[in-house]
Amino acid sequence: MKQVVQDIKDGRTEVRELPDPVVGQHDVVIRNSHSLISQGTERYVVSLARQSLIGKARSRPDHVKRVWQKIKSEGIVSTAQQVSAKLKEPMALGYSSAGVVLGTGSAVDSVKPGERVASAGPHASIVSIGELLCARVPEGVPMNQACFSGVAAISLQGIRLADVQLGSSVLVIGLGLIGQLTVAMLKASGCRVFGTDLDPAKVEMAKKMGADAAEVGEPLDAIMAFSGGGGVDATLVTAATPNSAPIIFGAECTRLRGHLICVGLVGLDLPRPPFFAKELRFAVSGSFGPGRGVREYEEMGRDYPPGIERWTAQRNMAAFMDALANGMDITPLLSKEVALHEVEAQYDSIVKGEAKGYGYVIAYGDGDDNEAKPRITFKESTADGELGIGVVGAGNFARLGLLPNLKRIAEPPFKLRAICSAHGLNAASSGEADGFDYATADIKELMGDDRCKLLFLTTRHNLHAEQTSDAIAHGKHVYVEKPLALSHDELAGIERRLAEQDSATVLMVGFNRRFTEGSRKLREHFGDQAPLTIQYRFAAGPVPDDSWLHDPEVGGGRILSEACHPIDWCIYLAQSPVTRVYAESIAAQGRKAHIEGSVNIVLRHANGSLSTVLYEDSGSRAMPTERIEAFGGGRSASLENWRDLNTYAGDDRNRDKLPAGLGHKASFAAFLNAVRSPGTDPEQWPIPLSHILNGAEATLAAVVSLHEGRPVDLEG
C-alpha cells in the first residue's frame, strides 16, 4: 500500500510504500478511492514539521518541559537518544476518506466486503479503521464527495452544539473549507445564514453554498439588521488565527443567551463583559462528535445507544452523506483531484499559501494490485550463522528505548532481521532507518521466518502471553515486555510450552531494574544476608482514566502492568520467592480506574524476608519517582532514582553517585548473551525461570488480595 506521511525531523511530505495492514477484531480494512486534504489542520502540521528545531520548541513549550523532566530522571544522553528517535517518527496525514471494504474483523457486523464506505482513515491506498469510524455511502453519492464526510462531521458537530433549528439565524465566521461546509449544512437544516471572512473570494463562495448574506470583515451593523436587531441565535467560529478577535466579534453579534461555538483553531482569550452581560453559552467543538478519541468507541466498537448520544462521530458522518443523497450540493467546493505522484507538490502549494481552493481530493486510482502485501523488504542478508532479531510492536518503548540500544549492542552473529507493527507505518519507518531486512504488519511473517531466531515482544499486554507461547512453539528465544501474563491460565500455558520444548529456548521478561548498577551494588552489599526488610516506593504518577492500562482485559490494570517491576526486584534482592501477598488501597470502592493507584503490597518471602511495595499515583511529580530502603544483618542501604546510593555497615557509611539509567541496555545485552550460548538450565537465564514464574504469581496474587481484601498464599 501507499500512504502520505510527514517527516517531522526534516519536514518532507512524501508518499511511502508500506506493508498492508492486518485486520483487527473490531476493524474494517478499506481500499480507498479518494481522501480529502483538510487544509487548515494539515497545513498547521506540515508547517510545524518544516520549522527548525528551535521553531518547533517555541511552538510546543509543553514538549520542552517534558524533555527537561526526562533529563533529570534519565540523564542527557538517554534523553537525547529518545528525542532524536522521536523526531524521526513519521506522521500519518489525513482523516477523511472513502473507499470499498476489503475485509472485516470477527466482531464487525455493520458492514461487509464490497460495500462503499466513508471513514476517518488517513491518506493511504489501504486503511484499517475502527468499525465506528466508518459509515456506508448511500447510492448515488460519488466517492469524491463521500470522502468529505470526516471533515464535514467536524462542521456538523459544531452545528449540533449550537442547538439551532428551522428558522434560526446563524453567523459563520471564517469561510474556509469547514466554514463553507457549515454554511451548506445550516441551509440544509432550514437556518438563515450570514457568513464573514477577510477574503472576498471566500465570501462569494459562501453565497454559492447558500448563505443568505455574506460580507467581508466585521460588518456588525449588517449582522444586527440580518438578525432583526437583537443578534444572531448562534455564532460558529470556523476561522484559523492565533488571536481571539473572531471570538470577541462573535460575542458582539450573538443575542442574549445565544450560543457561541468554537470549531476552528483560534485564540481563546475570552473577555468577560459580553459573555457575562449576555449569559452566552460557549463551547468548543470536539472533532467528529461523541466517540472520537475514546478508546472504547474507536478501538473496541462500543457504540453509544441513540437514547444516550443521538449524534456520534459515525452518525454525524452518515447524516452528512444522507444530506448529499437528498440533494445538498457541495460540487463548488471540489477544487481539484490530485494523483498520488502530485501530492508532495500539492502540500508545498498549500503551505506556501498558493492553493486558493477548498477541496483538494487525492484520487488513488487502481495502482495497487489486489493481492495482500503484508511485508516490504529493504534488503536481504545472505550471511550464514546469523541470529536474526525480530521486534514485534513499534510503539514508543520499542522506538525510543529498545531500538537505539539494539543498534549499539547487536554485533555479529546478531542481525536486525524484521520489525512488525499492526498498521505498518512505524515498522516501515523504523525498519528502514535502523537497518532491518524487512517490515511487516503480520506477526505470522516473523513466526514462520526460520532466520528470525529471537523475538522482542513490545505489544499491548493482552497479547504478551499468546505471542510468547506461539514464539516458543516456533523455537524462538523471547524477550517479552512486562507483564508476562494477565491470568493464571495464560501463565500456565507458557509453562506448558516451555516444558514441551526440546531445544534450549531462552525466555526473559523486561524487568530491567535488576540490571542497573545500583541493583548490583546492593546485592554485593547485603551478600547472602537473610532475612532482609525491604521498602520500595514506586511513585508512578497518574494515568488518564480512559487509558488502556486500566482495562483488565487489555492492560491488566496498574499492578499487573507496573507494580510488577518492584515486586520482581524485591525477589531479586531477597534472593527468595514470595510465599504470601497482602495488598490494600486507599481508593474508594467502585472507582475501578483508581483502585490500583495508591496501593501497599506486603510480600512475605520463603527465607523470612519481608518486602513492602508502595505503589503510588497521587503524589507530587517533583518528588523522586523511586526510592528503596533495605535492612538486614547489621547493614542498611538506600537507593533513590537509581542514582543516589547510600550503604551502611556498622558505623561506616558510603555514598555513591551512579550513572543515570534504568538498566534497559544491560538487560538487552544480558538476553543476547544468553541466546548466544543457551544452556539447558532455566535457572541460569538472566532472570531465573523460578523468579519469572514466582514474580508473575505474586503480582496476580496482589490483584486478588486487593479486590478480595485478604492475604493470598502462594503454592510451592
Side-chain angles (χ1 to χ4, degrees):
M1 62 174 261
K2 293 179 173 63
Q3 183 165 351
V4 181
V5 299
Q6 178 62 48
D7 192 300
I8 302 300
K9 187 172 184 178
D10 64 19
R12 286 179 299 133
T13 307
E14 59 183 351
V15 178
R16 292 189 186 176
E17 185 76 31
L18 303 177
D20 291 351
V22 177
V23 62
Q25 183 181 11
H26 298 281
D27 294 341
V28 178
V29 174
I30 304 162
R31 182 180 296 281
N32 273 340
S33 63
H34 298 82
S35 63
L36 174 67
I37 297 175
S38 177
Q39 287 197 69
T41 302
E42 295 182 55
R43 178 169 51 219
Y44 170 78
V45 171
V46 175
S47 298
L48 178 61
R50 294 183 180 184
Q51 291 182 22
S52 66
L53 187 59
I54 293 176
K56 290 183 176 77
R58 286 173 176 169
S59 298
R60 296 302 304 268
D62 54 326
H63 286 183
V64 175
K65 183 178 180 180
R66 286 203 293 270
V67 168
W68 279 115
Q69 290 173 338
K70 271 191 168 292
I71 289 174
K72 291 178 181 178
S73 63
E74 300 181 27
I76 191 168
V77 174
S78 174
T79 302
Q81 292 172 355
Q82 293 182 46
V83 170
S84 177
K86 194 71 175 176
L87 288 171
K88 292 177 183 177
E89 292 178 16
M91 177 181 292
L93 294 174
Y95 56 86
S96 192
S97 60
V100 177
V101 176
L102 292 179
T104 62
S106 59
V108 174
D109 58 10
S110 62
V111 294
K112 62 181 185 294
E115 291 188 315
R116 301 192 311 157
V117 295
S119 81
H123 300 313
S125 57
I126 299 176
V127 299
S128 180
I129 197 80
E131 175 185 11
L132 296 179
L133 290 178
C134 61
R136 285 194 187 89
V137 178
E139 186 176 350
V141 174
M143 297 296 269
N144 64 351
Q145 294 187 34
C147 72
F148 278 68
S149 63
V151 174
I154 297 172
S155 301
L156 188 50
Q157 177 61 12
I159 294 172
R160 306 282 189 210
L161 292 174
D163 195 25
V164 294
Q165 51 194 308
L166 182 69
S168 294
S169 60
V170 185
L171 170 64
V172 179
I173 301 176
L175 297 172
L177 175 60
I178 288 182
Q180 301 291 352
L181 288 169
T182 301
V183 168
M185 287 186 284
L186 284 168
K187 287 305 298 178
S189 303
C191 297
R192 299 176 61 248
V193 183
F194 194 111
T196 69
D197 198 281
L198 299 178
D199 185 343
K202 292 180 179 178
V203 168
E204 291 305 310
M205 177 59 76
K207 294 175 182 178
K208 292 181 181 180
M209 298 306 296
D212 298 279
E215 294 189 18
V216 176
E218 298 183 348
L220 179 60
D221 291 342
I223 293 169
M224 298 307 287
F226 175 81
S227 64
V232 294
D233 297 306
T235 295
L236 287 98
V237 178
T238 56
T241 175
N243 63 58
S244 304
I247 296 288
I248 296 171
F249 178 63
E252 288 185 81
C253 299
T254 308
R255 66 165 170 83
L256 178 70
R257 296 186 177 179
H259 288 78
L260 179 56
I261 309 300
C262 178
V263 181
L265 186 64
V266 299
L268 293 178
D269 186 9
L270 306 182
R272 178 176 173 80
F275 285 85
F276 177 79
K278 293 184 177 182
E279 296 184 15
L280 295 179
R281 293 157 171 82
F282 175 77
V284 177
S285 179
S287 193
F288 290 37
R292 186 59 163 150
V294 178
R295 187 179 66 85
E296 287 84 353
Y297 183 92
E298 293 193 354
E299 297 181 16
M300 305 176 70
R302 295 176 183 170
D303 202 358
Y304 295 97
I308 302 299
E309 285 289 357
R310 175 63 183 93
W311 296 109
T312 59
Q314 182 189 54
R315 292 171 198 143
N316 277 337
M317 294 169 64
F320 167 73
M321 288 187 291
D322 284 342
L324 293 179
N326 289 320
M328 186 176 72
D329 185 14
I330 65 166
T331 53
L333 299 179
L334 283 165
S335 302
K336 182 182 178 181
E337 284 200 7
V338 181
L340 272 173
H341 70 273
E342 300 173 308
V343 163
E344 296 174 41
Q346 184 61 51
Y347 274 97
D348 287 342
S349 177
I350 290 172
V351 171
K352 293 175 182 177
E354 299 169 353
K356 301 300 184 181
Y358 300 90
Y360 293 96
V361 173
I362 301 173
Y364 294 89
D366 300 318
D368 287 348
D369 61 43
N370 291 320
E371 185 178 349
K373 300 175 182 176
R375 167 174 168 171
I376 57 171
T377 301
F378 308 116
K379 57 185 178 179
E380 193 64 56
S381 177
T382 58
D384 294 330
E386 285 184 341
L387 298 174
I389 296 173
V391 176
V392 182
N396 284 339
F397 174 77
R399 297 194 310 275
L400 307 183
L402 174 62
L403 294 179
N405 283 304
L406 280 183
K407 287 170 64 178
R408 290 174 174 81
I409 64 176
E411 298 177 348
F414 293 105
K415 172 73 172 63
L416 297 180
R417 171 68 174 163
I419 183 168
C420 172
S421 67
H423 293 281
L425 175 57
N426 287 337
S429 175
S430 297
E432 185 173 21
D434 294 329
F436 284 86
D437 290 347
Y438 67 88
T440 179
D442 192 348
I443 191 175
K444 293 178 183 177
E445 294 284 319
L446 278 68
M447 294 296 181
D449 185 350
D450 291 338
R451 298 179 60 192
C452 193
K453 302 296 186 181
L454 57 155
L455 295 183
F456 285 83
L457 303 178
T458 67
T459 51
R460 284 192 173 180
H461 302 164
N462 60 312
L463 302 176
H464 288 184
E466 179 182 357
Q467 292 175 346
T468 298
S469 292
D470 197 17
I472 293 171
H474 281 84
K476 316 288 187 186
H477 304 286
V478 180
Y479 183 111
V480 57
E481 258 307 295
K482 50 77 188 170
L484 176 61
L486 298 184
S487 71
H488 292 285
D489 288 343
E490 288 184 346
L491 191 60
I494 293 171
E495 287 189 76
R496 286 194 299 271
R497 284 293 192 195
L498 287 169
E500 293 167 358
Q501 286 299 107
D502 295 329
S503 60
T505 300
V506 177
L507 170 64
M508 183 168 169
V509 182
F511 292 125
N512 45 281
R513 285 158 174 80
R514 283 176 171 248
F515 299 90
T516 61
E517 181 70 5
S519 296
R520 183 186 68 80
K521 285 182 172 290
L522 279 176
R523 192 81 168 262
E524 289 179 352
H525 179 66
F526 286 102
D528 294 327
Q529 295 290 335
L532 299 179
T533 301
I534 304 168
Q535 294 181 327
Y536 193 140
R537 185 193 71 224
F538 197 103
V543 170
D545 289 354
D546 60 353
S547 169
W548 61 271
L549 286 173
H550 295 304
D551 188 332
E553 296 180 0
V554 180
R558 300 203 69 176
I559 291 177
L560 289 179
S561 64
E562 291 182 326
C564 57
H565 264 307
I567 290 174
D568 170 80
W569 193 89
C570 289
I571 295 171
Y572 163 84
L573 187 63
Q575 302 183 63
S576 178
V578 174
T579 58
R580 170 173 282 205
V581 181
Y582 182 63
E584 277 201 287
S585 169
I586 67 169
Q589 294 295 320
R591 299 186 66 197
K592 185 72 173 182
H594 301 285
I595 199 169
E596 297 185 4
S598 296
V599 184
N600 264 329
I601 304 171
V602 180
L603 310 171
R604 172 67 69 182
H605 298 265
N607 67 357
S609 295
L610 188 67
S611 300
T612 302
V613 172
L614 171 59
Y615 182 83
E616 180 57 60
D617 76 348
S618 62
S620 168
R621 287 188 178 275
M623 187 178 190
T625 303
E626 296 177 62
R627 180 178 173 83
I628 296 166
E629 293 183 345
F631 311 86
R635 294 173 176 263
S636 305
S638 68
L639 176 60
E640 193 165 274
N641 266 7
W642 304 101
R643 301 193 68 179
D644 298 314
L645 175 64
N646 289 275
T647 54
Y648 307 83
D651 295 329
D652 296 329
R653 176 190 180 187
N654 186 62
R655 302 182 67 177
D656 279 317
K657 193 72 171 180
L658 306 178
L662 296 177
H664 288 106
K665 182 179 178 181
S667 70
F668 304 147
F671 175 63
L672 296 186
N673 287 334
V675 169
R676 184 182 283 109
S677 303
T680 57
D681 183 3
E683 293 306 296
Q684 299 303 312
W685 291 348
I687 303 177
L689 179 59
S690 62
H691 285 204
I692 292 173
L693 298 177
N694 179 249
E697 291 284 3
T699 308
L700 289 165
V703 177
V704 172
S705 176
L706 177 64
H707 289 276
E708 296 186 4
R710 62 177 180 85
V712 177
D713 292 318
L714 304 186
E715 296 180 0

